[in-house]
Structures are given as structure tokens and as C-alpha cells.
Amino acid sequence: MKPIIFTLVGADKPGLIESLAKTVYQYGGNWLRSNFSHMAGHFAGFVEIDLPEEQHQALIDAFNAHPDLKITLMSAAGREAKFPNTAVINIMGNDKPGIVQEVTGVLNQFNINIRSFDSVCESAPNWGSELFKAQAVIAIPDDFDLDTLAERLEHIANDMVVDIDLQQ
């Protein structure tokens, strides 16, 4: 078995995930993990599977024939390193350009890897404006000083008038 990752985007309809899962199973694959969302009127996601290497091309050909989705496959490098230390950053505030750029810029300054990042804009109750909410899970090296990171995040939170909460 060799890991393979595929991304997909297309018009949504009932049964899409079931048809993908059936195809993966038919070619001897094992569905390891996935993430799907509706974005900008489309269905989008990514999936990691284990698949016998001799079946990779057959699965690619089967997916290329899928009538409703654009699917891209790539081989995975193998099992990813596990990070024993993680922290969670929660962000919330009135939506404005630059929130994600500011937060990820700070993380990049500290050479911090983002493990997952989920965000949404929704109508703020009683305010009528858009509220931006995000959660990032970050990998923390063993000897990392979280207090310094928290101070930098607090600084940009004050500048942008958003709440940023860092939790280990």
C-alpha cells in the first residue's frame, strides 16, 4: 500500500462521496481521512487513501472519467511526522481584509507550521455586519516559548481589533 492524496471540486449532488468511496474500495484502497466543504457554490475537498501502487493509474483513470468533479491526484511522501505539541489559535472579529495575512505572517516569523486552518464569515447577531471566525491548529517545537508568540498575536489583535486566543 502506498499513500495517495486527491483533491476535488465540482457541482454538488447527493451521492458524490459515496461514489468516490466505492471507487476507492473497488481498486483496493483504504480511506484514511478527508475534509469536505461547500465553497462559493461548489463542493470541494481532499482525501488521503492507502492504495496498492499498481492500482494508482487505474484509480486516476476512473477519477478522470467522473462526470461531476474535477479530481487531482498525487502520491503522498508517506506518513507524516507526528507533532507531540500543538496549540490552537481562535480568531474572531468584524471581517476585514488582512486578518489571515497578519496571523499567518506572525506564525511564519516564528517558523511555525499550521496543521489545520478553518475559517468562516457569517452574519454577526445584532450587528448586521460580517463576523470572521477562524481556528488554527499549529505544531509547536519542544523548546518553543509560547509566551512570546502570544504577545505578538495580542499585538496584532489590538491593531486589527479582533480577539485572538492562543491555547496549548
Side-chain angles (χ1 to χ4, degrees), residues 17 22 24 28 34 38 44 50 55 59 72 76 88 92 125 130-131 136:
I17 295 174
K22 183 183 284 186
V24 167
S34 57
H38 287 268
D50 264 342
Q55 294 293 348
L59 182 68
T72 305
V88 176
M92 185 170 62
E130 289 289 303
L131 185 64

Side-chain angles (χ1 to χ4, degrees), residues 34 46 50 128 139 154 161 163:
S34 57
F46 53 95
D50 264 342
E154 185 177 316
V161 193
D163 292 325

Side-chain angles (χ1 to χ4, degrees):
M1 297 289 251
K2 184 173 178 187
I4 191 167
I5 298 168
F6 63 91
T7 62
L8 55 105
V9 66
D12 192 19
K13 71 177 191 179
L16 283 179
I17 295 174
E18 189 268 341
S19 73
L20 296 172
K22 183 183 284 186
T23 303
V24 167
Y25 179 76
Q26 287 172 339
Y27 288 96
N30 182 29
W31 193 288
L32 300 175
R33 59 187 171 155
S34 57
N35 190 315
F36 300 106
S37 294
H38 287 268
M39 293 193 166
H42 287 85
F43 181 72
F46 53 95
V47 180
E48 179 184 5
I49 61 173
D50 264 342
L51 185 71
E53 195 164 358
E54 64 273 8
Q55 294 293 348
H56 282 202
Q57 190 58 51
L59 182 68
I60 290 169
D61 293 342
F63 279 171
N64 283 337
H66 200 289
D68 300 307
L69 297 171
K70 169 129 176 65
I71 301 173
T72 305
L73 289 99
M74 63 185 299
S75 291
R79 293 279 180 215
E80 63 193 54
K82 298 292 183 198
F83 290 91
N85 301 316
T86 59
V88 176
I89 300 171
N90 290 299
I91 307 159
M92 185 170 62
N94 288 329
D95 185 38
K96 63 183 87 172
I99 296 172
V100 174
Q101 183 273 321
E102 290 288 337
V103 172
T104 58
V106 168
L107 296 176
N108 188 43
Q109 289 171 2
F110 287 95
N111 199 29
I112 298 293
N113 191 30
I114 299 170
R115 306 295 296 152
S116 68
F117 189 92
D118 295 305
S119 64
V120 65
C121 283
E122 57 190 25
S123 181
N126 303 323
W127 295 99
S129 62
E130 289 289 303
L131 185 64
F132 178 82
K133 294 180 181 180
Q135 183 177 75
V137 177
I138 58 175
I140 302 293
D142 287 332
D143 58 348
F144 187 77
D145 179 15
L146 270 178
D147 292 335
T148 304
L149 177 60
E151 287 173 16
R152 285 289 291 132
L153 290 171
E154 185 177 316
H155 177 75
I156 65 167
N158 291 336
D159 287 349
M160 299 197 74
V161 193
V162 296
D163 292 325
I164 300 179
D165 180 40
L166 175 65
Q167 303 169 348
Q168 188 167 3

